[in-house]
Amino acid sequence: IIICGPPAGGKGTQCELIAQTYGVVHISTGDLLREETRKGTTLGKQAGTFMASGALVPDALMTQLVAARLKEDDVVAKGWLLDGFPRTRNQALNLQEMGILPSAVLVLEVPDEVVQNRIEGRRTDPATGKVYHLTFNPPPAGDAELLKRLEQRKDDTREAMVTRLATYNKNVTDILSFYT
Ligand code: AMP
């Protein structure tokens, strides 16, 4: 399954439900990349600069990352839910050339102003990976430790968001026309 949606469009939440319901492995390329950056790998360093500005990481790097993950045993056994890939027509073509075609492509449609509000209030707990929103899904008020360690993603700024949203809107059309 491939899932497309704007940044902060609710992909994470839907992916959790889909993975639970169908037993497939949720592969988020954003999460894979953040893990590489955190570990300080060569790929992580190369990708980090693009990510911080909200730009797309080059297709060749992305395809290498995804191809490796799709070959791992859990994914081969259970099937996959790709979240954040393909993001360009070229990435979809690369998948097809590897003989990989999805059974379904899901698209989440969310108005730009909703995305904007969600992004600005989004905070992550680095200890658990849990995502909160300061207004719509606030962290428990009494937990001072949690409140202190909450982080805002580097690319969840208004500036980076404008780039990410414009790129998404441009690319989703290409991806849909590729699969329909
Ligand atoms: P996400 O968590 O899906 O919003 O991804 C965070 C950032 O990782 C994006 O803004 C891009 O810089 C990069 N990224 C994730 N997936 C891809 C992809 N398929 N192609 C290019 N860049 C990607």
Side-chain angles (χ1 to χ4, degrees):
I1 305 168
I2 286 172
I3 187 164
C4 302
K11 279 185 309 220
T13 307
Q14 295 310 319
C15 286
E16 217 175 291
L17 294 172
I18 294 167
Q20 260 171 29
T21 308
Y22 297 103
V24 290
V25 180
H26 173 207
I27 304 171
S28 151
T29 47
D31 286 350
L32 287 183
L33 287 168
R34 280 184 288 277
E35 181 65 15
E36 294 288 324
T37 338
R38 199 187 55 75
K39 288 195 292 199
T41 63
T42 312
L43 194 149
K45 283 181 191 145
Q46 287 171 319
T49 333
F50 296 98
M51 292 169 77
S53 68
L56 287 183
V57 173
D59 290 340
L61 274 188
M62 289 312 302
T63 303
Q64 183 194 328
L65 185 75
V66 170
R69 185 66 186 96
L70 288 175
K71 283 191 196 123
E72 285 176 34
D73 292 346
D74 58 336
V75 179
V76 174
K78 296 181 185 165
W80 46 267
L81 168 63
L82 262 182
D83 161 10
F85 189 97
R87 278 256 223 309
T88 65
R89 189 185 167 77
N90 200 25
Q91 291 179 6
L93 202 62
N94 289 344
L95 264 190
Q96 193 185 45
E97 280 166 1
M98 289 187 261
I100 298 171
L101 275 177
S103 313
V105 179
L106 304 175
V107 182
L108 304 183
E109 289 177 359
V110 187
D112 285 3
E113 60 275 16
V114 175
V115 165
Q116 222 154 333
N117 284 335
R118 286 197 191 160
I119 284 189
E120 281 172 2
R122 179 157 71 171
R123 298 290 184 278
T124 311
D125 176 0
T128 61
K130 224 174 140 54
V131 180
Y132 297 94
H133 188 283
L134 296 179
T135 313
F136 308 131
N137 177 26
D143 193 339
E145 277 303 303
L146 167 65
L147 290 178
K148 218 163 61 191
R149 69 172 180 257
L150 283 183
E151 287 177 349
Q152 185 170 29
R153 269 174 51 167
K154 274 208 191 93
D155 56 356
D156 274 356
T157 60
R158 184 170 279 265
E159 250 181 355
M161 191 262 308
V162 171
T163 313
R164 288 162 72 201
L165 210 48
T167 311
Y168 171 75
N169 287 330
K170 184 168 133 311
N171 288 334
V172 74
T173 321
D174 290 348
I175 289 162
L176 286 187
S177 65
F178 184 86
Y179 287 116
T180 47

